[in-house]
Amino acid sequence: MTTLQDTEDASETDLAKHDEDDYVEIKEQMYQDKLASLKRQLQQLQEGTLQEYQKRMKKLDQQYKERLRNADLFLQLETEQVERNYIKEKKAAVKEFDDKKVELKENLIAELEEKKKMIENEKLTMELTGDSMEVKPIMTRKLRRRPNDPVPIPDKRRKPAPAQLNYLLTDEQIMEDLRTLNKLKSPKRPVSPSSPEHVPSAPMENPSQRYEARIEEGKLYYDKRWYHKSQAIYLESKDNTKISCVISTVGTNEIWVRKTSDSTKMRIYLGQLQRGAFVIRRRSAA
């Protein structure tokens, strides 16, 4: 009995040892299989044929291409916006240049016309008052010089004082008197309406009525209203004449207006507006 029991125990021990060896062998085989699989995947990864690698690379490539497409669209939109801004700024610069050029030309024309009228007025004044400006020599008696008297030395420091004209009237009133005298002195000549000398004479003024008129910062303040350059107005006079005009220039003591009928220009002084010689009314630009 004892021998049989020992045999059974030995058989059980060998069986357990055999099972343990099989387990170790299976475990080793699984390890080798996994290691071989990883090596095979590593080799495929290096060669670029691994399926997971290709899948992820495809996804990254799609993201890359989408980002490039968005960048190209953004560049196109920004380029179009810059081109639109450039065209807009270019048009604004051209318009400003043209406006400044026209304004400069108008201002220079007005200054030259004013200088021309001043020269013509001076010439006309010299022609009409030339006789009164001549200094007539004073008749003096010359005594005979005695033999012992010294020779008289002429006094070169004393010069005849030139005749002076003191104007107590305004420029417009002086021009009106000079035109009247010129008409009496010389025959009448037809004057073209487009000529710059064609300026209507100031009507009779009413000294009892005064208007507030002044010029500040290139704008005219008249009768509690402000007027600026290029504004459409009506110019009324005391003889019920109503002229449609546009303010072309605002000076320091006068304004220049341009008639819409024949584009001739007129100069209106602040004194005339204050005395009521001319009345300004607003009108629609249309």
Side-chain angles (χ1 to χ4, degrees):
M1 286 295 290
T2 304
T3 306
L4 181 61
Q5 185 176 2
D6 294 337
T7 304
E8 292 178 354
D9 293 337
S11 299
E12 291 177 358
T13 302
D14 294 337
L15 182 60
K17 185 177 180 181
H18 183 267
D19 292 339
E20 184 178 356
D21 293 339
D22 291 341
Y23 174 76
V24 172
E25 185 179 354
I26 292 172
K27 190 174 181 180
E28 180 68 20
Q29 185 65 35
M30 290 176 60
Y31 169 76
Q32 293 296 332
D33 293 342
K34 289 183 179 180
L35 181 61
S37 176
L38 289 176
K39 289 182 178 181
R40 185 171 58 255
Q41 291 180 5
L42 179 61
Q43 182 67 26
Q44 292 177 353
L45 178 62
Q46 292 176 352
E47 294 175 355
T49 58
L50 185 64
Q51 184 177 1
E52 184 67 19
Y53 169 76
Q54 292 179 349
K55 182 178 178 180
R56 294 188 181 184
M57 279 298 300
K58 185 177 180 181
K59 185 177 180 179
L60 288 176
D61 186 66
Q62 291 177 353
Q63 293 178 354
Y64 168 73
K65 291 181 179 179
E66 182 69 17
R67 187 170 182 180
L68 285 182
R69 189 175 69 86
N70 292 336
D72 291 337
L73 291 176
F74 180 75
L75 175 62
Q76 183 179 356
L77 292 176
E78 288 293 324
T79 304
E80 292 177 356
Q81 182 67 24
V82 170
E83 289 179 353
R84 286 195 296 267
N85 292 338
Y86 166 73
I87 295 174
K88 183 179 178 180
E89 289 294 331
K90 184 178 180 180
K91 289 182 178 179
V94 171
K95 186 177 183 302
E96 183 179 1
F97 172 74
D98 293 338
D99 294 342
K100 292 290 185 181
K101 183 170 63 175
V102 172
E103 181 181 0
L104 176 61
K105 185 176 180 181
E106 290 182 354
N107 291 337
L108 290 177
I109 290 175
E111 291 178 3
L112 293 176
E113 288 180 352
E114 184 175 359
K115 291 179 180 180
K116 179 182 177 183
K117 288 185 178 182
M118 291 177 60
I119 294 174
E120 291 175 351
N121 294 342
E122 292 177 359
K123 180 181 178 182
L124 185 58
T125 303
M126 292 177 62
E127 291 178 354
L128 296 177
T129 61
D131 296 335
S132 61
M133 293 183 66
E134 294 179 357
V135 180
K136 298 181 180 180
I138 302 175
M139 299 299 295
T140 57
R141 294 179 59 188
K142 294 184 179 181
L143 302 178
R144 290 182 300 172
R145 184 173 58 86
R146 297 179 181 178
N148 296 329
D149 291 342
V151 178
I153 301 175
D155 190 0
K156 297 182 180 180
R157 294 174 300 175
R158 299 181 60 187
K159 296 182 180 179
Q164 296 181 353
L165 295 177
N166 296 323
Y167 298 104
L168 301 179
L169 303 177
T170 63
D171 295 343
E172 190 67 23
Q173 292 172 342
I174 293 174
M175 280 294 300
E176 179 64 21
D177 295 340
L178 292 177
R179 280 195 291 267
T180 304
L181 293 175
N182 193 25
K183 289 179 181 179
L184 296 176
K185 182 177 180 181
S186 59
K188 296 183 178 179
R189 294 178 298 176
V191 180
S192 173
S194 61
S195 173
E197 297 180 359
H198 180 69
V199 180
S201 60
M204 296 299 295
E205 303 167 3
N206 185 9
S208 62
Q209 187 176 6
R210 302 285 294 184
Y211 294 86
E212 183 180 2
R214 65 179 185 272
I215 294 176
E216 294 181 1
E217 299 179 355
K219 295 187 293 184
L220 170 66
Y221 180 79
Y222 172 76
D223 196 17
K224 299 181 181 180
R225 287 188 176 185
W226 287 99
Y227 297 84
H228 55 81
K229 181 183 176 182
S230 302
Q231 184 170 353
I233 62 170
Y234 285 116
L235 185 65
E236 301 177 2
S237 58
K238 293 300 182 179
D239 57 356
N240 296 327
T241 302
K242 190 175 183 180
I243 307 173
S244 177
C245 304
V246 175
I247 299 177
S248 61
T249 305
V250 179
T252 56
N253 195 33
E254 78 283 339
I255 64 171
W256 286 84
V257 298
R258 184 178 67 253
K259 296 182 182 179
T260 56
S261 59
D262 53 8
S263 297
T264 57
K265 290 188 177 181
M266 298 171 52
R267 181 169 60 177
I268 309 298
Y269 290 93
L270 286 179
Q272 293 175 315
L273 296 176
Q274 293 170 353
R275 293 191 302 271
F278 292 101
V279 179
I280 293 179
R281 305 294 184 191
R282 288 187 177 180
R283 70 177 179 89
S284 175

